[in-house]
């Protein structure tokens, strides 16, 4: 019905209570940080080890004191994702029916062992945004990007003790720059990668 924690948290909790799944995969689109050491380009896939809440903070007279820390996703699901990403044949790529907008090489899957993804309720669309700068300064090597749903979905999974994994495709850079051509491409790429993971023997 919408985006952000107010939608993803209850939806995940309701889904788990109704269907009792073995695991939960959260897929979708996000902003990737090309200016981080991870160098996430448009179209790349991000499968982080941890989720960091960039909204959890104390507002003080001299600035913002962030209190978000990384909460780990399921280790077994993440290892499965790493195995899928390491498949030299890349069968998920053969399923793509939408051409890459820039015509360049296939997307990279970012699935390094200490990577994190920022999550919060604020839409970030400025290179100099305070939360964007904080994520890059605090996690210069690990940060992949940011989005708005994974944190609440992860909390719901922790409540039910249900393994959780997030797979997001980079559709923008969390700056004023936007290119809607990437939306269709990235939606298909994360969908096919998740399909392959869901068929893997967990």
């Amino acid at each position: 019905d919408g985006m952000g924690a107010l939608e993803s948290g209850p939806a995940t909790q309701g889904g788990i209570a109704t269907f009792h799944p073995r695991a939960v995969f959260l897929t979708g689109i996000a902003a990737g940080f090309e200016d981080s050491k991870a160098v996430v380009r448009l179209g790349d896939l991000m499968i982080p080890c941890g989720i960091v809440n960039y909204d959890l903070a104390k507002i003080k007279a001299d600035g913002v004191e962030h209190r978000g820390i990384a909460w780990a996703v399921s280790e077994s699901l993440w290892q499965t994702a790493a195995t899928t990403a390491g498949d030299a044949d890349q069968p998920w790529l053969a399923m793509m029916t939408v051409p890459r907008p820039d015509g360049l090489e296939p997307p990279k899957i970012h699935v390094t062992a200490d990577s994190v993804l920022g999550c919060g309720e604020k839409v970030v669309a400025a290179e100099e945004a305070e939360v964007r700068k904080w994520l890059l300064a605090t996690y210069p090597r690990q940060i992949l990007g940011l989005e708005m749903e994974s944190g609440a979905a992860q909390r719901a999974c922790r409540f039910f003790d249900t393994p959780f994994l997030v797979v997001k495709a980079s559709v923008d850079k969390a700056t004023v720059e936007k290119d809607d051509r990437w939306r269709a491409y990235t939606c298909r790429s994360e969908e096919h990668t998740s399909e392959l993971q869901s068929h893997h023997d967990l």
Side-chain angles (χ1 to χ4, degrees), residues 16 29 36 53-54 91 104 120 126 131-132 148 151 162 187 192 198:
I16 295 173
I29 56 176
S36 75
N53 185 334
Y54 58 75
L104 298 179
V131 295
R132 192 180 189 281
M148 301 175 66
T162 302
C187 284
H192 290 318
S198 66

Side-chain angles (χ1 to χ4, degrees), residues 58-76:
K58 181 178 182 179
I59 308 297
K60 303 193 300 183
D62 59 349
V64 180
E65 178 186 305
H66 286 275
R67 296 181 172 181
I69 60 173
W71 287 93
V73 300
S74 164
E75 183 177 355
S76 62

Side-chain angles (χ1 to χ4, degrees), residues 32-41 44-46 108-112 114-116 136 139-145:
F33 289 171
E34 199 169 43
D35 47 348
S36 75
K37 287 189 170 28
V39 191
V40 180
R41 303 172 307 156
D44 284 359
L45 289 167
M46 299 173 280
K108 179 179 179 180
I109 304 179
H110 297 271
V111 61
T112 52
D114 58 354
S115 58
V116 296
L136 284 163
Y139 303 97
R141 185 173 50 83
Q142 305 100 319
I143 190 66
L144 300 177

Side-chain angles (χ1 to χ4, degrees), residues 109-136:
I109 304 179
H110 297 271
V111 61
T112 52
D114 58 354
S115 58
V116 296
L117 186 66
C119 184
E121 282 293 284
K122 298 181 181 69
V123 176
V124 180
E127 188 171 359
E128 295 302 311
E130 192 276 333
V131 295
R132 192 180 189 281
K133 291 168 69 175
W134 175 76
L135 287 168
L136 284 163

Side-chain angles (χ1 to χ4, degrees), residues 2-200:
M3 63 182 183
L6 292 178
E7 300 291 346
S8 65
T12 305
Q13 186 170 341
I16 295 173
T18 302
F19 300 109
H20 311 290
R22 292 174 59 199
V24 170
F25 294 164
L26 176 66
T27 65
I29 56 176
F33 289 171
E34 199 169 43
D35 47 348
S36 75
K37 287 189 170 28
V39 191
V40 180
R41 303 172 307 156
L42 295 176
D44 284 359
L45 289 167
M46 299 173 280
I47 310 178
C49 269
I51 308 299
V52 177
N53 185 334
Y54 58 75
D55 278 337
L56 188 60
K58 181 178 182 179
I59 308 297
K60 303 193 300 183
D62 59 349
V64 180
E65 178 186 305
H66 286 275
R67 296 181 172 181
I69 60 173
W71 287 93
V73 300
S74 164
E75 183 177 355
S76 62
L77 292 182
W78 187 87
Q79 291 292 345
T80 299
T83 300
T84 301
D87 188 335
D89 294 331
Q90 294 187 310
W92 63 275
L93 195 57
M95 299 178 183
M96 290 294 294
T97 57
V98 178
R100 185 177 171 89
D102 59 10
L104 298 179
E105 67 271 15
K108 179 179 179 180
I109 304 179
H110 297 271
V111 61
T112 52
D114 58 354
S115 58
V116 296
L117 186 66
C119 184
E121 282 293 284
K122 298 181 181 69
V123 176
V124 180
E127 188 171 359
E128 295 302 311
E130 192 276 333
V131 295
R132 192 180 189 281
K133 291 168 69 175
W134 175 76
L135 287 168
L136 284 163
T138 307
Y139 303 97
R141 185 173 50 83
Q142 305 100 319
I143 190 66
L144 300 177
L146 58 83
E147 48 81 71
M148 301 175 66
E149 290 81 30
S150 60
Q154 184 184 40
R155 287 194 294 275
C157 289
R158 288 172 64 87
F159 179 81
F160 285 97
D161 198 24
T162 302
F164 172 79
L165 184 73
V166 57
V167 180
K168 293 270 184 164
S170 175
V171 71
D172 63 64
K173 303 174 185 179
T175 66
V176 70
E177 255 182 83
K178 301 289 180 184
D179 187 342
D180 288 337
R181 295 178 305 159
W182 287 96
R183 187 172 293 268
Y185 177 81
T186 54
C187 284
R188 294 302 291 168
S189 65
E190 53 82 15
E191 175 184 322
H192 290 318
T193 306
S194 298
E195 287 173 2
L196 286 175
Q197 289 181 53
S198 66
H199 287 98
H200 195 284

